[in-house]
Amino acid sequence: MSDSDGKKTLGLRGSGSRPGNVKQSFSHGRTKNVVVETKRKRVVVPKPGAGKGGAGGVAAGDASRRPAGISDAEMDRRLKALQAAKAREADEAAQREAEEKARAEERERRRAEQEAKEREQREAEEKARQKAEEEERKRQEEAEAAKKRAAADKAAAAAPKADAGAAPAARPAPGGGAPKPAVGPRKAEREREERGRGAKGRNDGGRRSGKLTLSQATGGEGGRQRSVASMKRKQERARQKAMGQVEREKIIRDVQLPEAIVVSELANRMAERVADVVKSLMNMGMMVTQNQTIDADTAELIIEEFGHKVVRVSDADVEDVIKEIKDKEEDLQSRPPVITIMGHVDHGKTSLLDAIRDAKVVAGEAGGITQHIGAYQVKTDSGAVLSFLDTPGHAAFTSMRSRGAQVTDIVVLVVAADDSVMPQTVEAINHAKAAGVPMIVAINKIDKPAADPNKVRAELLQHEVIVEAMSGEVQDVEVSAHTGQGLDELLEAIALQAEILELKANPNRAAQGAVIEAQLDVGRGPVATVLVQTGTLRQGDIFVVGEQYGKVRALINDKGERVQEAGPSVPVEVLGLNGTPEAGDVLNVTETEAQAREIAEYREHAAKEKRAAAGAATTLEQLMQKAKDDESVSELPILVKADVQGSAEAIVQAMEKIGNDEVRVRVLHSGVGAITETDIGLAEASGAPVMGFNVRANASARNTANQKGVEIRYYSVIYDLVDDVKAAASGLLSAEIKENFIGYAEIKDVFKVSNVGKVAGCLVTEGVARRSAGVRLLRDNVVIHEGTLKTLKRFKDEVSEVQSGQECGMAFENYDDIRPKDVIEIFEREEVTRTLD
């Protein structure tokens, strides 16, 4: 029975089928052959004329060539889509061909330009080389000719006769001999031309003219090799130049380079991109960011690499903007004199100035003593303007008197006729001599009954001050601030001295002045009293003063009036500072705020470094020794807040003088302005009281002080503050133990008593013996024991004391080595409270 027996053969409908056999395998080794048919895929290919008008008819009429299930309209749409796709492909191919052709033309044009440029460069190099060779050849020929001439001259000098005989023979024969010297040079020239043509022929190969060789990319043999990025940048520059984008010429700048500079600031000064500078530093092996600081040597390498010039400057050069201008003689104008009133405390300095001004200034000073430098202007009856500075006379205000003498033209030394020369008078004389300013002696209080002007003049002689009354050069005037006697004579003496000095200044320039006093005002901020020395200070000027800077917000004169400007020798209050300056600082006007800020920051940095260097200069051994020395020293810490800078400075100096080897005063902090909560926090941490001089604590500071138990003391007179601190420091002194000898006793015999030990039978020879007193046992006038008495008996009774001439029994505490004829010294200890001088 056959496999197909009674069965229908498997097949596929449609034409194009091919029969075949497939062998199937089953389990247990059974197999079966199956007849199958495979059908080939029909591919519809339209005829070339299908796109014409009869295409639709062919597709519609010939149903055997159309895919099954497709209508005539669908067939038309498919044919149209196929034609549109072919048209798009043709358009894209044409566009690509045009773009490729344009790119090829552009490349050819660039190559031609590059070749022309290289050819011109080679020709220029060849011409330069030929010119150099020609010049070298001429120099050699000239040298040879010079040698020949020298040899001929030498030969002619040596043998003139022989030379004359041989001269006809040495001449070149006409015709054949003349051209011979020129043969050599022409041959060398031909060889050079051939070498040049050979080199040109090798270099002009058009095939390699536009290609980048390995030697060109690496920059030749040895040396620093150029990177691929560098070559790309070079090619890009060449391309831009070829296309007409000519690169701008690089600007070479003078870059000011300090000792250290931030990377971003360096890039800014070179006008280069920060990224380029950072990249250049990374190429040098320094991984830095734009905010890091580099040293001057590294920065110099970077500046030179970018093609700029280095101008080395130091940090101190920022102050070069403050130039010392030498004024011309024709620019100088007369200015008022600056007169400083100096002398001992309570000698009537302020009262004298008060009488001159006809104003009550003394009433405004606590305790009737001046504690600030007052600056005033006075106009005399004759129309002359005088600028007066009133300095304190107290010993604590030494530095303020010194500043007054430094900025002044004339010193008026006030001496009380009833008190004569005192310590601060001598100090004022020394300040005036150190400053080199003329002096006028005003003998004040002449109206008092005890006044003795001649005594004052005589005592001034001891300090080398010889007044006119004693045939000297120093003017002296007897005055009375109370009655006004001698005031006119004093003003005349001042005017005469000012006329002799011929004081002049240039008002038409940037102002310069000295800070007489500085304070922190609650409503107005930092305020500085400035005496303008030269130039004119105007509202709106930008200035730097010490470690502070600012812009003049307002100018206030000595009468409390606002003014627009202040000329030479005019004292004014300046508002607009960013901080409180130090008294004695110099004020300079600058052009820009940036300059003023830079100078102030440099000065502040320099001051910090100086303080740090002073602290770092101590070695470890010195620190250990200081700590060891300070173990036995008691410290009284205090905080000082004052109304003005000069007073704070004076208080600190006075505090430093209080103390001895056992106790001292330590000022933790001193400042200007009201007592704040920060001051209270510092005082609490250190256990110190707060001393306020003409200032008060604000509300929050008072509350904090009450909560934390911090003591705040207010003062308006410096006497009281110094005395209180001295008394407090005296309390830290250990009490002095003083011994008072009250009696002597001699041992007559020694007895042994049970439960007591040895008892000495004594006779009180001097004074009195008390049981509570201390005793010493003397043997041959040598102290062998010091202690206390265990018992003191008179007969059998215990007594508290025994008078002189009476006998008694004594026993020592924990000591039994007593012998007859020993002497007992009896004394009492007394604690004596010590005070600081």
Side-chain angles (χ1 to χ4, degrees), residues 778-815:
L778 306 180
R779 185 173 296 162
D780 298 329
N781 292 323
V782 177
V783 179
I784 61 172
H785 175 68
E786 180 177 342
T788 57
L789 290 175
K790 185 196 301 185
T791 179
L792 176 63
K793 289 190 175 184
R794 174 86 173 136
F795 300 109
K796 291 184 178 181
D797 300 326
E798 192 80 27
V799 293
S800 58
E801 68 177 31
V802 178
Q803 297 295 326
S804 174
Q806 296 179 351
E807 294 182 346
C808 62
M810 294 183 186
F812 292 92
E813 190 79 39
N814 299 325
Y815 192 76

Side-chain angles (χ1 to χ4, degrees), residues 626 628-635 660-664:
K626 187 174 184 302
K628 191 175 180 181
D629 295 341
D630 290 348
E631 284 180 355
S632 59
V633 179
S634 300
E635 280 189 346
N660 53 20
D661 295 338
E662 297 179 37
V663 65
R664 65 184 173 207

